[in-house]
């Protein structure tokens, strides 16, 4: 095995294949350089070698396998990435692993993070006095005690009012090991609440066919349930945002019932009328959705459901809108936001007929929010006289401002504690609820 003689870790790089493979190579090389690794075009003097492969035609497969063989013979420590890494033989085994079982790691194409994980595992990052001044959790814009955790980018849906897929492309899930390591680093730095975000949280892992990754030396699937289960082991509040109402959401309810993740779901239902939902290209069965909500509440009576709706979508009649109000009365959601429909440049919905005039759209938005006020208040009244745990966000001489398990930062209500000046920011505190209004709870500290 050949090691570099200088102290800077050096990675040899061999890239085969088409321009897409070349662009993957650029991403990996950029990351290697930005982390302080040296790059070498030769096997000699490199601490390990990355071979970026092609698997398009038989000749390319042969060329890639022989490049891997050469790198193993000349250097000995080889990480394989690229299209051939994803190819299986007729019995379902990876071609690269079958021919060259001594390689250190194999990934498919577009796998910068996994390649970097493999590099870090076999050749630790050099110390960088500038980068290493940054905390391990990176630079965050949120307070020290809560943080957002982005698990994927892009979206496979094509909701007609939304242009996110055309801006950000289809769903790309982050590797589970990377997500969990980031979550752990956040907890180690003092974070008490992790807010899981994405464009479509419940679809996590669909794009990578729920590929198995590793966290803490054990296999974990890149899958919504498995992610929630693993996050639930970290001992902090885990809050799920942007959950699309798929049936697989049912699976995480037991984790909420067991107290592993917060009994909180942010599910943008958008509407209740089947024709409007179809025009929006959203799942269209409002009856089923009501039944699902009932089942969720049976499983987790204290579940907080937050949702958003669009009023005045093209084609929405007064009857459709009243159907939505009736649905809200039945659904008894805890927290609701509403937007008056407004055309977004590039959205397919712009071509739909029957756009209500702007004043009607705005009026429906106001009516929806007024309709929901009583429902939200009644949902909060369940908490009157109960002792609950809150996370303290702010303390001054006038008391403390905190949030309950049912309150996400910025978008939901607050728990106002006038006698809470003795509490500390970032502390979990027990309080008793003494009053409620439409959005907020009022509480007093409970001596522990
Ligand atoms: S609204 Fe959400 S689910 Fe629909 S396309 Fe946009 S990002 Fe995807």
């Amino acid at each position: 095995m050949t090691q570099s003689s200088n102290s800077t870790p050096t990675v040899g790089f061999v890239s085969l294949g088409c321009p897409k493979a070349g662009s993957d190579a650029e991403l990996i090389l950029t990351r290697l350089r930005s982390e302080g690794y040296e790059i070498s075009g030769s096997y000699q003097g490199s601490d390990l070698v990355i071979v970026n492969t092609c698997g398009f035609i038989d000749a390319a497969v042969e060329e890639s396998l022989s490049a891997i063989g050469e790198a193993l013979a000349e250097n000995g420590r080889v990480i394989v990435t690229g299209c051939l890494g994803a190819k299986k033989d007729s019995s379902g085994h990876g071609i690269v692993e079958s021919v060259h079982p001594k390689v250190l790691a194999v990934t498919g194409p577009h796998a910068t993070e996994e390649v970097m994980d493999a590099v870090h595992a076999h050749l630790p990052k050099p110390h960088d006095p500038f980068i290493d001044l940054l905390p391990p959790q990176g630079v965050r814009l949120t307070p020290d005690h809560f943080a957002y955790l982005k698990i994927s980018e892009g979206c496979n849906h094509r909701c007609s009012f939304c242009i996110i897929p055309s801006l950000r492309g289809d769903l790309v899930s982050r590797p589970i090991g990377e997500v969990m390591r980031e979550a752990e680093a956040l907890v180690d730095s003092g974070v008490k609440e992790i807010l899981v975000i994405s464009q479509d949280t419940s679809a996590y892992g669909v794009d990578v066919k729920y590929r198995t990754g590793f966290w803490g030396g054990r296999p974990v699937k890149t899958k919504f349930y498995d992610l929630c289960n693993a996050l639930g082991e970290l001992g902090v509040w885990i809050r799920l945002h942007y959950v699309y109402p798929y049936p697989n959401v049912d699976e995480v309810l037991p984790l909420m019932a067991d107290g592993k993740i917060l009994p909180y779901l942010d599910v943008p239902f958008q509407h209740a009328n089947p024709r409007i939902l179809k025009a929006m290209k959203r799942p269209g069965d409002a009856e089923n959705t009501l039944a699902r909500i009932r089942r969720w509440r049976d499983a987790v009576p204290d579940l907080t459901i937050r949702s958003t709706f669009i009023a005045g979508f093209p084609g929405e009649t007064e009857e459709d809108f009243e159907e939505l109000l009736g649905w809200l009365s039945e659904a008894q959601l805890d927290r609701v936001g509403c937007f008056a429909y407004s055309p977004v440049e590039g959205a397919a919905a712009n071509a739909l007929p029957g756009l209500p005039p702007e004043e009607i759209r705005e009026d429906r938005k106001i009516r929806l929010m007024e309709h929901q006020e009583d429902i939200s208040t009644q949902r909060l009244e369940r908490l009157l006289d109960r002792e609950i745990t809150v996370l303290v966000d702010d303390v001054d001489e006038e008391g403390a401002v905190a949030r309950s398990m049912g309150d996400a930062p910025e978008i939901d209500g607050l728990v106002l504690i006038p006698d809470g000046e003795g509490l500390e920011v970032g502390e979990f505190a027990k309080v008793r609820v003494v009053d409620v209004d439409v959005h907020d709870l009022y509480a007093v500290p409970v001596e522990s």
Side-chain angles (χ1 to χ4, degrees), residues 181-354:
R181 280 190 289 282
E182 182 178 335
E184 262 181 325
L186 290 169
V187 174
D188 289 346
S189 75
V191 162
K192 301 287 176 32
E193 175 179 6
I194 290 177
L195 302 112
V196 178
I197 56 166
S198 69
Q199 252 76 52
D200 185 2
T201 294
S202 37
Y204 179 61
V206 168
D207 54 315
V208 292
K209 302 196 173 58
Y210 309 122
R211 181 163 57 205
T212 300
F214 287 88
W215 172 53
R218 67 182 159 98
V220 189
K221 278 191 180 161
T222 309
K223 199 171 182 191
F224 178 52
Y225 172 85
D226 302 69
L227 171 74
C228 294
N229 192 33
L231 288 171
E233 292 176 20
L234 298 178
V236 298
W237 279 8
I238 305 293
R239 192 181 297 282
L240 303 179
H241 285 287
Y242 313 120
V243 174
Y244 199 85
Y246 297 115
N248 73 333
V249 177
D250 298 3
E251 294 171 11
V252 303
L253 270 290
L255 297 176
M256 296 182 181
D258 290 347
K260 290 189 86 179
I261 61 174
L262 286 179
Y264 181 97
L265 277 176
D266 173 6
V267 190
F269 291 114
Q270 309 297 11
H271 213 282
N273 173 274
R275 192 174 47 79
I276 299 295
L277 284 168
K278 196 161 173 227
M280 289 176 166
K281 298 213 170 123
R282 302 282 301 179
D285 198 334
E287 276 307 311
N288 266 350
T289 307
L290 277 179
R292 173 159 294 125
I293 290 172
R294 265 182 232 117
R295 279 204 306 279
W296 289 347
R297 288 237 167 89
D298 285 345
V300 184
D302 272 336
L303 178 68
T304 295
I305 305 175
R306 170 186 181 79
S307 190
T308 46
F309 294 86
I310 297 175
F313 191 77
E316 185 191 73
T317 62
E318 176 60 23
E319 291 71 45
D320 299 334
F321 177 69
E322 284 173 15
E323 185 179 335
L324 171 56
L325 296 186
W327 187 90
L328 283 170
S329 297
E330 289 212 44
Q332 294 282 300
L333 304 181
D334 299 83
R335 309 284 193 186
V336 164
C338 182
F339 301 96
Y341 176 78
S342 82
V344 176
E345 201 182 324
N350 297 349
L352 296 173

